[in-house]
Structures are given as C-alpha cells and as structure tokens.
Amino acid sequence: KRQTMELLTSKQVGKILNLPKSTLSKMRSDKYKGRFNIVLPFIKIGRAVRYEREAVNQAIKELKASK
C-alpha cells in the first residue's frame, strides 16, 4: 500500500505550534541556524514552503521529551 505524505503550509504549522509565520521563516533561514531548539525540515515546491505533518509531530515529541 502506498503511503501518502501529508504536507502542511506555514500557516497550518504556525497554528499547531502557536508560532507566527515570521518565526517559521526565521527557522528556515541560514542566518538563524542554531538559535531555535526545534528543527523543522521543509520542502520547497516552487516558491511554496511545505512541512511534512509527521516531521512536525516528531519535533513536538522531541520538545516534550527535552523538558
């Protein structure tokens, strides 16, 4: 069975993590590498940025475990 990857927009991820889109943008920027305690892998499709739902869920689990 083929598994489909659910992709989320920055707006959707921002709602899940309670972060503004501007913070997500900074997290993607090389200029801010290492300043955040969360790493969210992203995919660019043209100019659109998407996040894999499973990667977002995994990042949340890691944050909870590090408390």
Side-chain angles (χ1 to χ4, degrees), residues 2-6:
R2 267 178 53 154
Q3 186 177 1
T4 57
M5 181 185 343
E6 185 180 359

Side-chain angles (χ1 to χ4, degrees), residues 5-6 8 15 18-19 26-27 31 34 38-39 42 45 48 50-52 57-59 61 63 65:
M5 181 185 343
E6 185 180 359
L8 304 173
K15 278 187 176 181
N18 197 25
L19 293 172
K26 287 179 184 175
M27 291 170 76
K31 181 178 175 183
I38 181 174
V39 176
F42 62 93
I45 304 169
R50 297 293 181 263
Y51 297 88
E52 196 177 334
N57 292 341
Q58 185 61 38
K61 287 177 192 171
L63 277 174

Side-chain angles (χ1 to χ4, degrees), residues 17-64:
L17 298 177
N18 197 25
L19 293 172
K21 283 173 44 177
S22 60
T23 299
L24 293 173
S25 177
K26 287 179 184 175
M27 291 170 76
R28 292 191 305 269
S29 169
D30 288 337
K31 181 178 175 183
Y32 292 92
K33 285 275 190 268
R35 291 197 187 177
F36 297 95
N37 60 349
I38 181 174
V39 176
L40 283 177
F42 62 93
I43 300 166
K44 286 199 81 166
I45 304 169
R47 291 181 12 190
V49 176
R50 297 293 181 263
Y51 297 88
E52 196 177 334
R53 180 179 286 280
E54 190 50 46
V56 173
N57 292 341
Q58 185 61 38
I60 292 168
K61 287 177 192 171
E62 289 173 13
L63 277 174
K64 285 181 179 180

